[in-house]
Amino acid sequence: MQPRAEKVEIDPEKLRRLLARQIEEQEQAPAQPEASSTEGEGTQITESEAIQFDLKPEELEAYLDQYVIKQQEAKAILATKICTHFNRLKLPPEEDEGFVGNIKNNVLMIGPTGVGKTYLIRLIARKIGVPFVKGDATKFSETGYVGGDVEDLVRDLVREANGDIERAQYGIIYIDEIDKIASAQGVHGPDVSRSGVQRNLLKLMEETDVDLKAPHDIASQMESVIQMQQTGKIERQKVNTRNILFIVSGAFSGLDEIIGRRLNKGTMGFRSQADPAHLNADQLLSHVRAEDLIGYGFESEFIGRLPVIAVLHDLGPEDLLEILRNPKSSVILSKKRDFRAYGIEVEFADEALALFAERAHAEHIGARGLVSAIEKVLLNYEKKLPSVGVERFAVGADTVLDPAAGLERLLQDTSLSRFLDNFQREHDIALEITPEASAQIEALASTRNIAPGELCEEMFSDYGHGLKLAGLGQFCIDADVVADPQEALNALVKYYYNQRR
């Protein structure tokens, strides 16, 4: 049984003082033009104010295909029903349509975490250009108790539309973790029960008027009292939810077992393709029905307001790799942007992407594991490289398998490169270091616990002047030079002067 939430208690004396102060400030302020009252009715949207929407389902599906890997069935369902919803808004009202009520294409999305549910809806809202808000069902309670009011989602939609009520009434409200408000079987909770939240959402998902001033918002109520004091009436701005599209989603852990039991009853005595014994949990979700969701703990009326069901499936390693390979992958583009903020360009080898995909799949959190896998490898790179002047680097398989060794090699290579660049800039002489010589320098620098470039500055401090005496514009440092730099330089200068005699 869920504990009853505590009611909000307000100190009457404190509220009286606040109201008195607000009234005094309002009386001293310049008078404002009186706004028209809409008390008792929702804001009406005329045909001229309606959004211009003519996107076709296949066009929206093609747009989603650019960003979202797999989930073809879910993308087709969402693209079709959401396009239909917004295109229907362009139709003029028909008095003789022969039906009563407004059946909306509200959507229920079912799928494990990290398969792209939220990402899909954000993409759709961006493409259509309508206001979009997201909320978590676990944060809501019944009105009158501590916790979020479900109507706050509508108020948030108006804020997202910059106060434009007409535009907000064409928005999309997305509620995640909807499975968390399913009533526990055999438990009869008090007023603040999960079923109570379902009933409150019912009104929003169909059609109701929502007051922009929340009853539990003390500041809003103070404004109403001040308005009554000044004008003798209260202006009530309301938002109608008739055309707001509601999309809810959840992982629905355990729903596959309910579906399996139903399918098992229907296959007793013979075997069929839908035999639960032949289906895994992911496949069972594709056979979901309203009765399964009711058995899960939802009110039948609530499920009735969600006529469209889209099932998203788990992602395998190859799917996660495809996400990383996608030129529009937000994971890779975001990480590149992180380094670009420091003037560093980073590239990812395909072998590295494959390793990231395997590690992310082992986390069992879908695409969210990709970000975690990449951060674990590149965090120290992101911390260190901005301080050492690296302009670009590549992430290969070696980097993923041993990030610390890869960073050390990169720092050493960078240190040597910086030495070579500085040498050429100062002496106008191009130096080259052979791989064998580079390995010797790095080993010597490691024993002295200094950077390879710093060691080179010591070892080749006379080479700028010496190479100029020898008349050389370029010089290759090999293993013999590293073994005895001074002897090598003396021999070079002697050879040059002997040649001139």
Side-chain angles (χ1 to χ4, degrees):
M1 180 176 295
Q2 296 182 2
R4 184 184 184 91
E6 297 180 1
K7 290 190 176 182
V8 179
E9 295 185 1
I10 302 173
D11 185 348
E13 180 60 25
K14 182 178 180 181
L15 179 59
R16 186 192 65 76
R17 291 197 300 270
L18 288 171
L19 289 172
R21 185 164 65 250
Q22 289 287 333
I23 292 172
E24 182 180 356
E25 292 174 355
Q26 290 287 335
E27 290 175 345
Q28 295 175 354
Q32 299 294 326
E34 183 176 337
S36 59
S37 173
T38 57
E39 182 174 0
E41 60 184 48
T43 304
Q44 299 298 313
I45 302 176
T46 65
E47 184 177 351
S48 61
E49 294 170 333
I51 60 173
Q52 300 299 313
F53 183 83
D54 56 2
L55 200 62
K56 297 178 177 60
E58 288 188 343
E59 294 173 343
L60 182 54
E61 184 180 17
Y63 172 76
L64 296 176
D65 285 339
Q66 298 177 46
Y67 296 90
V68 180
I69 302 301
K70 204 177 177 181
Q71 316 302 356
Q72 294 306 128
E73 182 181 358
K75 286 187 289 188
I77 292 172
L78 291 169
T80 301
K81 301 311 296 183
I82 291 177
C83 280
T84 299
H85 169 80
F86 284 101
N87 275 298
R88 278 180 55 174
L89 299 182
K90 299 186 301 181
L91 297 176
E94 297 288 347
E95 295 182 359
D96 58 346
E97 283 183 337
F99 62 84
V100 178
N102 178 38
I103 301 175
K104 286 194 294 184
N105 293 326
N106 295 325
V107 182
L108 169 62
M109 301 171 66
I110 299 174
T113 183
V115 295
K117 299 188 293 292
T118 303
Y119 189 47
L120 273 169
I121 305 307
R122 286 190 185 279
L123 285 171
I124 291 172
R126 184 178 72 178
K127 181 65 174 178
I128 297 172
V130 295
F132 167 82
V133 296
K134 177 192 174 186
D136 290 334
T138 53
K139 296 181 180 178
F140 298 115
S141 64
E142 287 194 80
T143 306
Y145 293 90
V146 177
D149 182 353
V150 294
E151 293 185 350
D152 286 340
L153 290 168
V154 179
R155 300 182 185 102
D156 290 341
L157 202 59
V158 176
R159 281 190 282 272
E160 194 67 24
N162 296 320
D164 187 337
I165 293 178
E166 287 82 359
R167 186 164 175 260
Q169 290 176 140
Y170 289 107
I172 295 176
I173 290 179
Y174 173 59
I175 307 175
D176 197 11
E177 297 188 348
I178 199 69
D179 51 321
K180 301 300 191 299
I181 63 167
S183 298
Q185 296 301 300
V187 175
H188 302 284
D191 294 340
V192 69
S193 64
R194 298 173 180 180
S195 59
V197 179
Q198 293 181 42
R199 288 192 292 270
N200 283 342
L201 283 171
L202 276 177
K203 297 181 296 181
L204 296 184
M205 290 194 296
E206 191 171 57
E207 180 180 5
T208 191
D209 290 329
V210 175
D211 197 330
L212 283 185
K213 294 181 178 178
H216 56 271
D217 186 343
I218 297 178
S220 295
Q221 297 310 309
M222 288 170 59
E223 290 177 5
S224 297
V225 173
I226 294 169
Q227 188 178 59
M228 175 62 75
Q229 290 277 351
Q230 292 182 329
T231 65
K233 59 182 179 180
I234 298 177
E235 173 193 356
R236 295 190 183 278
Q237 289 184 301
K238 297 196 174 188
V239 186
N240 187 275
T241 65
R242 174 183 176 86
N243 295 320
I244 295 176
L245 186 65
F246 284 81
I247 301 175
V248 302
S249 71
F252 288 86
S253 175
L255 179 61
D256 57 302
E257 298 176 5
I258 296 175
I259 299 172
R261 287 195 295 269
R262 173 176 57 80
L263 292 177
N264 189 53
K265 290 180 182 179
T267 58
M268 291 181 65
F270 65 93
R271 313 301 286 178
S272 75
Q273 292 182 346
D275 183 0
H278 297 155
L279 301 176
N280 59 34
D282 190 53
Q283 293 170 326
L284 282 169
L285 291 176
S286 297
H287 297 271
V288 65
R289 291 181 181 176
E291 61 185 282
D292 302 319
L293 296 167
I294 294 171
Y296 193 81
F298 285 100
E299 303 273 343
S300 58
E301 294 85 354
F302 183 80
I303 295 302
R305 300 304 191 279
L306 298 164
V308 181
I309 299 178
V311 177
L312 287 84
H313 300 284
D314 209 350
L315 299 173
E318 64 283 354
D319 301 315
L320 297 175
L321 177 57
E322 195 63 26
I323 290 175
L324 294 177
R325 285 174 172 168
N326 189 337
K328 295 186 177 181
S329 169
S330 59
V331 178
I332 295 298
L333 292 177
S334 177
K335 182 45 61 180
K336 286 186 175 183
R337 188 172 179 83
D338 287 346
F339 281 96
R340 195 175 298 125
Y342 299 105
I344 302 171
E345 295 296 328
V346 57
E347 296 296 333
F348 293 85
D350 196 65
E351 296 82 0
L353 298 182
L355 289 171
F356 284 135
E358 290 176 5
R359 293 185 177 187
H361 185 256
E363 297 285 340
H364 300 292
I365 55 174
R368 289 190 178 94
L370 293 172
V371 177
S372 175
I374 292 175
E375 289 296 341
K376 288 177 181 177
V377 170
L378 296 183
L379 182 62
N380 284 331
Y381 286 73
E382 191 174 336
K383 180 187 76 170
K384 187 67 177 178
L385 297 188
S387 302
V388 297
V390 172
E391 295 182 354
R392 64 179 62 250
F393 75 101
V395 178
D398 292 342
T399 307
V400 181
L401 294 172
D402 194 343
L407 177 59
E408 184 63 27
R409 285 193 301 270
L410 179 59
L411 293 175
Q412 292 173 349
D413 292 343
T414 301
S415 181
L416 288 175
S417 298
R418 190 161 57 245
F419 164 74
L420 297 176
D421 291 341
N422 291 339
F423 192 92
Q424 183 168 20
R425 186 165 47 251
E426 183 177 351
H427 304 291
D428 197 25
I429 297 173
L431 292 181
E432 179 185 352
I433 303 178
T434 67
E436 295 80 6
S438 177
Q440 285 181 290
I441 292 170
E442 291 171 2
L444 289 170
S446 178
T447 59
R448 294 183 53 186
N449 198 26
I450 61 175
E454 185 179 348
L455 178 62
C456 286
E457 290 175 1
E458 295 180 9
M459 295 173 64
F460 307 114
S461 59
D462 296 332
Y463 269 61
H465 180 66
L467 294 176
K468 284 184 178 179
L469 289 177
L472 297 177
Q474 58 184 22
F475 181 72
C476 180
I477 299 175
D478 58 20
D480 292 335
V481 174
V482 174
D484 196 337
Q486 195 59 49
E487 178 60 29
L489 180 60
N490 292 338
L492 182 65
V493 173
K494 289 178 182 178
Y495 175 79
Y496 173 76
Y497 278 104
N498 288 335
Q499 289 292 104
R500 294 188 59 181
R501 290 178 181 176

